[in-house]
Amino acid sequence: MNFKKKLLKNSKNILPMHMPGHKRKAIFSGLSDLGFAYDFTETDYLDDLHNPENLILEEEQKVANLYKTERAIFGVNGSTGFILSVIYSLGKKHKNFMALDNCHYSVYNAMRISNLNVFLFSKFKDKTNGLSSGLDYEDLERQIVKNKIEVFIFSYPDYEGDTLDIEKIIEICKKNKVLTVVDEAHGAHFIYDGGFPKNAIKYGADFVIMSLHKTLPALTQTALLLSSKNLIKDYEIEENIKIFETSSPSFVLISSICECVDILIKDGKKLMQNLSENLDKFYRKAEKLKHLQIVNKENRDKSKIVILTDRANISGYELKKILLKKYNIELECAGARYVLAYTTLADEKKDFEKLKNAIFEIDKTLEFANKEDLIFPVRKAEKLEVSQNSKTKIIDLDLAIGEISAKDLYAYPPATPIIFGGEKIKKNQIELLNQLMVEGMNIYGLSENGIVVKS
């Protein structure tokens, strides 16, 4: 019996003199389409997400078995909630944290509120398009040792699908007794092979955080935390989750997680194989494009289709608009030199054909364009000033070189800062921001009159 049926069975013939207010009654017909029949609260006849003992605990163990780990915890506040919870928990025993500088901004917010020593390390960037293109593993280890790093945080895969050599990273961390926190928000589908990477827990990562809703058939905000029972207990993870997650978790979202897992157990291998075959066909056909290019290389998640515009007379933003207005195709995001299309188990052969036909038609209208390189800052264990109590002032962006930024400046999506709050602003960062804004990128964190810096 699946989770939803258990909910209905356990609540049958019970008069709900408790929350939620709709009491799951059909008199509120507009709610029925939203799944309100499964919108319960914590009761004696059901279970409690923050202290699971039966229904939810059984489902969490099912997930742990699927991902081959000891402990799986359900979340309804997205990966962000677990990132905040885990970093806050680890920050009670450790102070020196390092993160790759292309993590989601929730990582840096978590380290700030925990008042940690925060060090940033850069991945290589492709100057022609801005995509991540590798990591200096030897220097990473040197900086970990030099700065006595205790916890290392990174995304796997990153937003655009780059996966790095995760086995090497975890090997370095274990050798130096460094805990690893992996933001695998975009890799919950790394379960079966089909040409996709393995999930981080298989390589021995200590904490792996996933957003089910990003790449699997689950509702928005659903998330997983995977780890060992000892680590969960030793760092009081479950106690600290209560600080950042609602005390009234949605059973609709919890049911969504359970339904998703049932689908994966029953049909996951077949669905992943179908996705893999459709992607492989798409990539083979895309090799014939003349001006647009499709990123197709090893060490990446192929389900994230990146279409480059770095040698065409069109920007990523313009391409995204054309695909929506003319072809009714809404992409995940656009950068100055690329667009990103997310594919999942839900995509069918006809969906790939529609995207392929559209980009080939657009490609025929384009011409070659020679574009200037993008210059990105390189951070080698750069330490952030995380104090939240400093006075601030607003100055012109071009006059900010040498100042300490008071806010993160980032494009959303993917919400990866270009300038970090607490970072000393460099000339090449200002030049990059100006260049990206000229090419159409919206920058979050700027005020109308300039940039907010610490006085």
Side-chain angles (χ1 to χ4, degrees), residues 3-267:
F3 185 75
K4 290 197 303 182
K5 289 180 179 178
K6 289 178 182 177
L7 287 180
L8 297 180
K9 178 183 177 182
N10 286 18
S11 62
K12 188 177 181 180
N13 298 324
I14 289 180
L15 176 64
M17 300 303 290
H18 56 71
M19 297 181 285
H22 53 65
K23 301 295 181 81
R24 297 179 297 281
K25 291 191 175 181
I27 55 174
F28 304 109
S29 58
L31 292 175
S32 58
D33 292 339
L34 302 177
F36 86 126
Y38 304 99
D39 187 23
F40 292 85
T41 191
E42 301 80 14
T43 65
D44 291 339
Y45 58 87
L46 293 178
D47 206 353
D48 182 354
L49 180 63
H50 293 303
N51 185 32
E53 295 179 334
N54 42 71
L55 294 185
I56 294 175
L57 186 62
E58 291 171 8
E59 295 296 323
E60 288 182 333
Q61 188 56 50
K62 189 188 297 185
V63 172
N65 295 339
L66 177 65
Y67 284 97
K68 295 180 172 57
T69 188
E70 288 185 6
R71 186 78 172 90
I73 299 175
F74 290 177
V76 296
N77 194 29
S79 287
T80 294
F82 280 145
I83 287 170
L84 292 168
S85 304
V86 170
I87 293 176
Y88 178 81
S89 299
L90 299 182
K92 290 187 173 184
K93 294 186 177 182
H94 306 289
K95 287 300 176 185
N96 292 340
F97 282 56
M98 179 180 284
L100 292 186
D101 63 359
N102 72 330
C103 292
H104 187 266
Y105 65 69
S106 61
V107 169
Y108 314 112
N109 287 338
M111 292 190 288
R112 289 185 184 111
I113 64 174
S114 300
N115 198 31
L116 303 173
N117 296 322
V118 181
F119 298 85
L120 300 178
F121 195 87
S122 293
K123 296 173 73 173
F124 296 133
K125 291 278 191 178
D126 189 320
K127 294 180 180 180
T128 63
N129 52 52
L131 295 174
S132 297
S133 60
L135 188 68
D136 186 336
Y137 299 97
E138 290 184 4
D139 191 38
L140 173 65
E141 183 167 13
R142 280 194 296 271
Q143 298 300 335
I144 283 175
V145 173
K146 177 183 176 181
N147 295 286
K148 300 179 180 179
I149 299 302
E150 300 166 272
V151 179
F152 183 64
I153 308 163
F154 62 101
S155 297
Y156 168 85
D158 67 14
Y159 189 54
E160 294 86 6
D162 187 64
T163 56
L164 294 174
D165 186 344
I166 185 172
E167 190 170 11
K168 181 67 174 176
I169 291 174
I170 292 177
E171 177 188 314
I172 290 169
C173 290
K174 287 190 178 299
K175 174 184 173 183
N176 293 284
K177 298 181 180 179
V178 175
L179 290 168
T180 47
V181 179
V182 182
D183 178 4
E184 201 169 315
H186 300 278
H189 59 297
F190 294 174
I191 306 172
Y192 306 109
D193 187 15
F196 297 94
K198 296 178 182 178
N199 69 66
I201 207 74
K202 291 184 178 180
Y203 291 105
D206 295 303
F207 298 93
V208 178
I209 297 162
M210 297 176 169
S211 287
L212 285 177
H213 69 93
K214 285 182 168 63
T215 61
L216 291 175
L219 294 181
T220 298
Q221 290 184 216
T222 52
L224 298 176
L225 170 60
L226 309 180
S227 188
S228 71
K229 292 179 180 178
N230 285 340
L231 285 172
I232 295 291
K233 180 181 178 181
D234 291 348
Y235 288 96
E236 300 180 329
I237 301 294
E238 289 177 291
E239 288 301 310
N240 291 316
I241 287 172
K242 297 174 185 177
I243 298 173
F244 298 98
E245 188 170 57
T246 176
S247 61
S248 301
S250 167
F251 271 73
V252 175
L253 296 181
I254 296 169
S255 299
S256 169
I257 296 174
C258 300
E259 285 290 308
C260 174
V261 172
D262 286 344
I263 290 169
L264 292 174
I265 292 172
K266 181 182 177 183
D267 299 314

Side-chain angles (χ1 to χ4, degrees), residues 266-321:
K266 181 182 177 183
D267 299 314
K269 286 185 179 180
K270 179 181 178 181
L271 290 168
M272 289 299 292
Q273 188 61 40
N274 289 342
L275 174 61
S276 182
E277 290 174 1
N278 284 326
L279 283 164
D280 290 343
K281 290 177 184 177
F282 176 88
Y283 281 112
R284 284 196 298 270
K285 292 176 181 178
E287 291 176 359
K288 297 180 181 179
L289 288 165
K290 292 184 177 181
H291 302 293
L292 300 173
Q293 293 176 281
I294 307 294
V295 177
N296 187 15
K297 62 179 183 179
E298 295 182 356
N299 298 322
R300 71 180 309 274
D301 174 13
K302 64 183 179 180
S303 73
K304 294 156 181 64
I305 299 175
V306 177
I307 307 171
L308 300 176
T309 63
D310 54 3
R311 65 177 190 180
N313 61 331
I314 191 173
S315 71
Y317 310 109
E318 291 168 329
L319 178 57
K320 185 174 184 290
K321 289 178 182 178

Side-chain angles (χ1 to χ4, degrees), residues 316-350:
Y317 310 109
E318 291 168 329
L319 178 57
K320 185 174 184 290
K321 289 178 182 178
I322 292 171
L323 283 167
L324 178 58
K325 292 183 178 180
K326 186 174 180 180
Y327 299 95
N328 292 323
I329 298 173
E330 177 69 274
L331 299 184
E332 169 66 22
C333 84
R337 306 279 176 89
Y338 66 91
V339 295
L340 173 62
Y342 253 49
T343 65
T344 73
L345 306 182
D347 288 300
E348 304 171 76
K349 181 179 179 180
K350 64 180 181 179

